Amino acid sequence: MSINSVSSTPNAMVQSLLDMRAQFDDLQRQLSTGQKSATYAGLGSSRGLSVSLNSQLSAIGGYDNSIDMINTRLQLAQTSLGGMSTIGNQMKALVVQGGSTGGNANSAQLTAQSSLQQLLGLLNTQAGGRYLFSGRATDQPSVETYDHIVNGDGARAGLTQLINERAQADLGASGLGRLTLSAPTSTSVSVAEDAVSPFGFKLGSVSSNLTNATVSGPTGSPASVSVDFTGGQPSAGDTLTLRLNLPDGTTTNLTLTATTQSPPGDNQFTIGATTAATAANFQSTLSTSLGALAGSTLKAASAMSASNDFFSADLNNPPQRVAGPPFDTATAMTAGTTANTVVWYTGEAGTDPARDTATTRIDPSLVVSYGARANETGLKTLVQNVATLAAVNISPSDPNLSNFTAALSQRIGTGLSGAPGQQSVTDIEAELAGTQTTMASVKDQHAQTSATLNDMLQQISGVSNEAVGAQILTLQTRMEASMQTTAMLYQLSLTKFL
Amino acid sequence: MSLTQALNTALSGLNAAQTSVSIVAGNIANAQTPGYVRKVAVLTQNSVGTAGASVQVSAINRVLDQFVQTQLRTESAGAAYTDARAKLYDQLQDVYGTPNSTSTLESSFNTFTTALQGLSTSPDDATAQSAVLAAAQQFAQQLNTMSAGVQGLRQQAELAISDDVTQANNCLQQIAQLNQQLSAAGQDPSAAALSDQRDNYIDQLSKLMDIRVINSGNNQVTVLTTSGVELCGAKASTLSFDAQGVVTPQAQWNADPTKRTIGTVTLTSPNGTSTDLVANGALRSGEIAGFLDMRDNTLVQAQGQLDQLAAAMSSALSDTTTAGTAATSGAQSGFDVDVGGLQAGNTVSITYTDTATNTQKQITLMRVDDPSVLPLSNSATNNPNDTVVGIDFSGGMASVISQINTALGATGMTASNPSGTTLRILDDGAANTVDVNAVSTTTTATGLTGGVALPFFTDGSNPYTGAITATGAESVGLAGRIAVNQSLISDPSKLVAYTSGVAAGDSTRPDFLYNQMVNATLTYSPSAGIGTSGAPFSASAGTYLRQIISVQGANAANADSLKQGQDVVLSSLQSRFDAGSGVSIDQEMSDLLTLQNTYAANARVMSTIKDMLTSLMQLGL
């Protein structure tokens, strides 16, 4: 600052005093607000950066809110999945250890029924009004109620009815699994499927070491197998094995053994006096054996198949049902409608991966997928197998009860164990846990980034109290000196000394 | 007789001292009077008889350094210019709010995007939906307020110019009047005081506008603008300014008086001819020029930046670009697009290769509903590389096709209308001078359902389409009108349900909204001062926002430092001027002492002469 002559109008001096005063006021504002400037202009060349930093900080805040919210959802989902996993394991243990066969069947069914109720309850878990297992339809319950699923809802058929209809279709009116036996000649026996249909036993193959007998087939459509004893009598101990395909994709073998005993044991036929008598005995044994097999293994396979159809459905694809009535002569499946059949899964049914039904960006470069559908393979398999046991008709007076429950238990045990490579509840738990881990590490990263960004922002727009304090002190000294000098300058006028 | 002569000489000394003392008294009395220039008495000797000389005050001079005075006037015009700008820039900064506070545009934008992020996490949550709408409304409101603030400042500038023009007129009249009085005063001592007054008015005028002062002799001055337009001589010209009561974003200065919707400064000379000083560029410095610059450039740009942000964000959420489907006819191949959904301002973009030079070119056809704006300039779109052709859709498809064919004429491409509202663009087939690479349409969604895009923000109550009409582009002033779609506010579920049957938890639309607001690269018109027409600024909305704040902050800081620099120059010049021409009390006091001595000495001479005369008389007795 140039030194002005003492007596010229001291405009500049007064101006600089005013400037210092304004500076003082600004420093006081900085001290009280902690902000360097009240306008962007005053922030200096980093003002643009401060806008970016604020926007990044706000975005991180938003991402962290999302992470917290998703975490709540995932924790609830994990709790549900853990519960379902436990139920699955208990049921598997019960079934595999024979707890559901013969006389135990009824109590096992009661266990299955309560387990199913629990499973359905867990699948309808909500997090803040949001159904976790409904895919995108988060406002819809994931699954129907226990009562509707098992017993149906008015005009809409439930699982029990579907199993029942399928059993009729598979067993046929004669109870022989839709096979018919006949004697084309007095010395031969023919077994044939009654129609081309997906129901009942399907003749897979036949192998025989019956001496003198001619075994042919399966041939034709509907397929048939014939056993001709015209060439002579079989020897005792000779066997014929019929390989039968079942509705659930499994197979079973029926082996008939020739014997000289009369009456013959189970699955044995007596070699008669003539080949015609042998043929008649053979037909009679075959009929009895098929009847017993149909009442046990076929019935179990039929229930599994009906249950599979029921649980493979969603709102876009209602369950496949037996075309009928009459059901015992049905030859085809037909698609049910939402009006005549209960659809167990009421959430959103898409073909895309279930995880992708809920996605959220938790970082500018990271999107997590954490959706789930109750009809995912792992969950569906569990519910389906438990529900089958819960819904089949177990009658203590059924002569085939023991074999039927054994066949059913074996199938349910296999189903609950799951095929290798097939999704299980644990797989879903693991996937969601992976997401949780990712989110936890992203959140840690966010905390560090936030700290850095805040630090930078503070450097740009914030002030250090110490620095401001020091500046105020310096300024105060300068102002005092200036004011004193100004006062002295005004005193220094020649006028005073004349 | 020499004693009498000596007596007369002493008397003249007394008179001169008295006059000088009265000048000193005047100087001291006027020490604080603005524009007062220190006066000194000019003493000259008169030879009397054979020996000695009497003294007389021949004139009263003003101690004036004319060089410094001229410089001071130039710089005070500059200082007033920078001061006016700095003042308005400072107020403009208030429009952008306090950094890190919740009252800023960036803060409402961040709240909006965070709310969208929240909605994307919980699409089914009614709270998240209403949070998005509330944040969006607040953002729109903020833009409205800022736009009103910018226009308020323009209005303030307009009124300030009006006041300044009145003041300038007063100065000019006073100068002219003083010129007349001074021509009559001649060498009269009162001339110095009149000159002071006139200088004072010229100084005032120099703060308002940049002027040049010519001394035309005989105490007369002529005042001109630095560009050479005469403002005042013996008679004063009159300045006039037609201030507009309400300043809107659309109100802009134009050299064509029929298109001008805001005030301009007109100079009417004494003989009646009038000149538009703004159009002539005659106002280059001074307060009026400062306010004009703010009103017509800086603040228009500030508004433009807000408008561009509003327009880019509106379009980002509402516009859908649909690629054409391939079509052939004989050897010709090209694309079909449906132009049925095109609104005024929507476009059809044609990319083709000129096979002769193997260069790719673009033609943009823009729907225009107001034929008076045709033809459009290439700057109608933000794309720097396209040729823009406005197409009037009012005459039906046949007329549209014929207009397009005229536009495509030289390229070798042809347009046809195979059916309905389908536009088919084909190359020239076997001649192979041109290949059509792509044809696409960009349309603005008008309803809330039917596609992911939706008119989230509206211009008043209509979707923003970027239409160009006789009143200008729709984007002008959009920041002041932007609002959140009213039908969306009444049905927030449409934030998720982009079409019928959309699941409540489907985050498709929230993800789209978030992505468009945060990540999508949008292009902004260079007319708002960010980016150039060759390389328009294109970035996410957040980055543009940052750019606005950055540019405005830097401009305001620059304006302030310019002002401070100018103030330093002015104050040092003022000091120099004061040192030369101002009154120094010390100086006056020491002069007074000398004068007192002079007076006493002269009186002593007289008393001695009296004694001598007495002695002489006694001798004679």
Side-chain angles (χ1 to χ4, degrees), chain A residues 299-310:
Chain A
K299 197 172 152 198
S302 168
M304 294 305 287
S305 176
S307 179
N308 189 44
D309 285 338
F310 184 79

Side-chain angles (χ1 to χ4, degrees), chain B residues 41-66:
Chain B
V42 180
L43 300 177
T44 46
Q45 60 172 350
N46 275 348
S47 304
V48 181
T50 51
S54 69
V55 67
Q56 73 167 46
V57 177
S58 62
I60 299 172
N61 260 11
R62 303 164 69 217
V63 185
L64 184 64
D65 184 340
Q66 284 202 335

Side-chain angles (χ1 to χ4, degrees), chain B residues 93 316 545 573 600 607:
Chain B
Q93 276 298 298
L545 183 61
L573 269 175
S607 132

Side-chain angles (χ1 to χ4, degrees), chain A residues 40 52 63 66 73 136 138, chain B residues 106 117 122 124 505 514 546:
Chain A
Y40 287 101
S52 298
Y63 290 138
S66 292
R73 292 174 189 166
R136 291 187 179 84
T138 49
Chain B
E106 51 156 332
Q117 151 81 24
S122 311
D124 48 358
Y514 180 75
R546 166 192 167 152

Side-chain angles (χ1 to χ4, degrees), chain B residues 352-369:
Chain B
Y352 66 98
T353 303
D354 181 349
T355 50
T357 56
N358 199 25
T359 46
Q360 203 173 55
K361 296 176 181 173
Q362 280 183 332
I363 293 182
T364 302
L365 308 173
M366 181 181 282
R367 174 170 175 159
V368 169
D369 284 353

Side-chain angles (χ1 to χ4, degrees), chain A residues 342-365:
Chain A
V342 169
V343 175
W344 80 287
Y345 173 63
T346 47
E348 173 252 6
T351 50
D352 55 338
R355 295 299 154 271
D356 292 351
T357 58
T359 57
T360 295
R361 189 172 288 280
I362 55 161
D363 192 75
S365 56

Side-chain angles (χ1 to χ4, degrees), chain A residues 193-218:
Chain A
E193 296 171 13
D194 71 347
V196 177
S197 75
F199 306 117
F201 291 123
K202 294 290 133 192
L203 297 169
S205 62
V206 63
S207 60
S208 155
N209 60 0
L210 293 176
T211 321
N212 299 321
T214 311
V215 176
S216 64

